[in-house]
Amino acid sequence: MSETDFLPTEERSLCDRFIREGHIIAPAENRAALDRIRSLIAEEASAWLGLLPPDDPDSFLNGIAERVPVEKLNAFRLHVIGTLNATSWLRSAYYAIARRTLETVVGNELCMQRRVNLSIQLPDDDSSLLPIHADVWSGDSPFEVVLWIPLVDCYRSKSMFLLPPAVTARLQQEMHRYADHGAEAMFSDFEADLAWMEVPYGSFLLFNQNLPHGNRVNREAQARWTMNCRFKGVFTPYADKKLGEFFEPITLRAASRIGLDYRYPEGFEE
Ligand SMILES: O=C(O)CCC(=O)C(=O)O
Ligand SMILES: [Fe+2]
């Protein structure tokens, strides 16, 4: 942190915590927005199954393995994601769930990934796993954060893991060792240091995607349902994921809009 830091104390301490721990778990800032997204997902999922919307979305989503076999899971998931992303209010509702935290940790002129991702992991299913990785290692900008929001309670293997910043510094020193041995060796060497994110429904997780993270086979009795979406400051550097293609500005302020639109007068020369 620089010597000059005019952030108010609470904002500085949240920033310090995000740097030190690599993540923040907090209650949804707009619970109605989260409930609305969960209802939409439960409705679309039941429509695909030819059922009426469930009275209890929590037990419907948790128990989805009774209705959707693993072979049909991807088609089912793609249907739900497709309708989710075709919904006009989806992204503003998603953002509303963590608006103040995003403003504090990332900034108030943000861009947001154009599509929200959905991941569904049935109990004991090994078909949709993400081995340990850092998004920044495969073309994401180091300025991005991931807002990860569960639709059911997530804990232990029904959640994701994150390697804390201090241990990540050690891993980065030894990175050459994994060039040949791959993600599984990295996972087992650092397994004891991984932090499993405990995020109940009603809360969100904001994490630093420069830190190694991933998931394992869900060994709990019920299905995992989580969404994720990336945010970054509009004017921070881009990597492979470009503005206008992957990202879209969502909170440009007046001075930036004026600056972006500004054209020097005809014939103006310095
Ligand atoms: O949801 C998970 O288990 C991992 C998510 C992830 O890798 C990401 O959002 O970058
Ligand atoms: Fe990731």
Side-chain angles (χ1 to χ4, degrees):
M1 192 70 62
S2 67
E3 298 267 309
T4 310
D5 185 347
F6 295 167
L7 287 179
T9 311
E10 323 79 69
E11 296 189 14
R12 187 166 52 232
S13 72
L14 197 69
C15 282
D16 288 347
R17 193 172 121 207
F18 189 77
I19 293 170
R20 196 174 59 244
E21 297 176 6
H23 73 279
I24 284 163
I25 295 170
E29 294 169 13
N30 185 332
R31 177 62 188 252
L34 175 58
D35 289 344
R36 194 171 177 211
I37 295 175
R38 185 180 65 168
S39 297
L40 172 70
I41 289 177
E43 270 164 36
E44 291 302 336
S46 45
W48 191 86
L49 290 162
L51 302 171
L52 290 171
D55 294 333
D56 178 354
D58 182 64
S59 60
F60 172 77
L61 297 175
N62 266 307
I64 203 69
E66 291 159 27
R67 297 195 159 96
V68 180
V70 173
E71 317 81 74
K72 298 226 170 110
L73 182 62
N74 204 41
F76 171 72
R77 194 180 64 87
L78 291 175
H79 166 81
V80 178
I81 290 192
T83 51
L84 194 62
N85 281 295
T87 303
S88 59
W89 50 264
L90 187 258
R91 288 165 70 249
S92 64
Y94 197 94
Y95 163 68
I97 294 168
R99 183 178 69 81
R100 287 193 307 276
T101 305
L102 284 165
E103 261 186 36
T104 304
V105 170
V106 187
N108 67 5
E109 289 191 293
L110 296 171
C111 59
M112 178 178 185
Q113 189 175 332
R114 293 171 72 162
R115 286 180 68 81
V116 170
N117 296 316
L118 174 70
S119 120
I120 308 171
Q121 286 174 295
L122 303 182
D124 300 320
D125 169 26
D126 64 2
S127 67
S128 50
L129 301 181
L130 272 172
I132 189 166
H133 68 283
D135 298 17
V136 70
W137 295 340
S138 53
D140 284 65
S141 159
F143 293 83
E144 287 168 34
V145 298
V146 178
L147 177 59
W148 188 97
I149 304 180
L151 298 160
V152 292
D153 293 347
C154 286
Y155 51 90
R156 298 198 292 269
S157 65
K158 194 186 168 185
S159 188
M160 57 165 274
F161 60 77
L162 184 68
L163 194 68
V167 194
T168 297
R170 199 174 85 220
L171 178 147
Q172 298 225 150
Q173 302 278 303
E174 299 165 14
M175 193 72 177
H176 57 276
R177 299 210 338 235
Y178 301 103
D180 300 329
H181 303 291
E184 204 50 36
M186 187 185 286
F187 176 82
S188 51
D189 285 359
F190 288 90
E191 187 171 3
D193 296 301
L194 299 173
W196 286 89
M197 301 288 104
E198 192 155 313
V199 195
Y201 177 69
S203 290
F204 64 81
L205 161 68
L206 187 70
F207 74 89
N208 172 358
Q209 54 74 34
N210 300 331
L211 301 170
H213 59 276
N215 55 50
R216 305 294 283 178
V217 174
N218 172 7
R219 297 293 182 200
E220 315 309 320
Q222 296 175 310
R224 175 189 137 169
W225 289 73
T226 59
M227 302 176 288
N228 68 71
C229 189
R230 282 151 195 77
F231 291 83
K232 69 195 279 293
V234 185
F235 299 108
T236 57
Y238 289 82
D240 291 352
K241 295 177 172 168
K242 306 290 186 218
L243 188 64
E245 292 168 22
F246 187 87
F247 285 111
E248 187 176 59
I250 55 166
T251 53
L252 278 179
R253 306 282 162 161
S256 298
R257 286 162 53 189
I258 292 169
L260 289 169
D261 286 345
Y262 188 75
R263 299 289 172 269
Y264 283 94
E266 193 99 7
F268 179 87
E269 273 169 60
E270 180 58 8

